[in-house]
Amino acid sequence: MARGTQLKAIALLPAFALVGLTVACGAGGSGAGNVGTSSSSSAPGTGSGDVGAVAKDDALAAMVPADVKSDGKIVVGQDQSYPPNEFVDNGKPAGFDVDLGTAIGQVLGVQMDFQNASFDGIIPGVGAKKYELAMSSFSINAERLQSVDMISYYSAGTSLAVLKGNPDGLKLDDLCGKKIAVQKGTTQVEDLDKKNAACTGAGKPAIEVTQLQAQTDVNLALTAKRVQGELADSPVIDYAVKQTNGQLESVGAPYDTAPYGIVLPKNSGDYGKAIQGAIQKLIDSGAYKKILDKWGLNAAGAVTKSEINPAS
């Protein structure tokens, strides 16, 4: 990050942004967090609120491939710059995905080893067998399903955040000529490409898009007034609005709602069925709802049935 003129702005930032600065600057300013570091979690509850332990299901555990569970853990690729879904709290992974992933591990009788990584490198990392699965707020879409399997577990849309009072008058249906920040590799990048094509096609000025490696850097860009708005998943925008103590607000309703999916290697077979079965067990037992409630995720995004995509 730049020094000098932003020091006063940094002093006014809320706690969530300061945590993000620690992560981003710790990666040499790349905004990718401490890429390559890992942290294991054996029980949910890294944040406030105890969601309790979950019982192992022997039948589902037996479906996990031997080469995956032989070391007693599943290596999970994750970009921990996306609160409240995944972030770093006191040096440890935390968030909705971390708690849900940990609970899945409990059902399957394995520990989840959450590896912090750059978002746009995670799916290739699954293909290269660097990670045994990925759980990092990945929306399920046709492009991703060409190379991986995805197991649904929550639905989220895209939301727009602006400075309090919307001083620049941003509208969801007209961002032409505005400065908008977004995280690299997300579905929001594609969304802005489409919006930009519409702007220039109508003879309007293009959107000034700033792509940053970490979502915490995107939040910082807006609170520091380097951009006029940001696009991100609806739970992330909702959380940012709550944590900025009145500095930000959302504009309009979430759009393009789609399910999140846990990423597995293509043609995952019984492995995919084990993950899907574990999620369904958590939904049916009520543990899933407890995790949603703990992190303040909108109940409208909850799924009642986890599915394997593509269908097996």
Side-chain angles (χ1 to χ4, degrees), residues 21 24 41 59-60 96 102 116 139 146 148 152 158 160 197 202 209 229-230 234 247 251 261 265 288 297:
L21 281 172
S41 180
L60 290 173
F96 165 61
T102 297
N116 198 4
S139 297
Q146 291 178 8
V148 295
S152 61
T158 291
L160 170 66
V209 180
E230 64 168 290
S234 47
Q247 291 190 66
V251 174
Y288 172 78
L297 269 69

Side-chain angles (χ1 to χ4, degrees), residues 15 44 47 51 59 70 82 84 144 150 155 173 180 188 190 195 201 207 213 238 248 272 283 296 306:
V51 298
S70 60
Y82 213 59
R144 287 170 176 159
M150 302 184 77
S155 288
D173 59 355
I180 305 297
Q188 284 80 26
E190 299 174 8
K195 292 183 186 300
I207 302 168
Q213 193 67 50
D238 290 345
L248 303 180
I283 292 170
S306 175

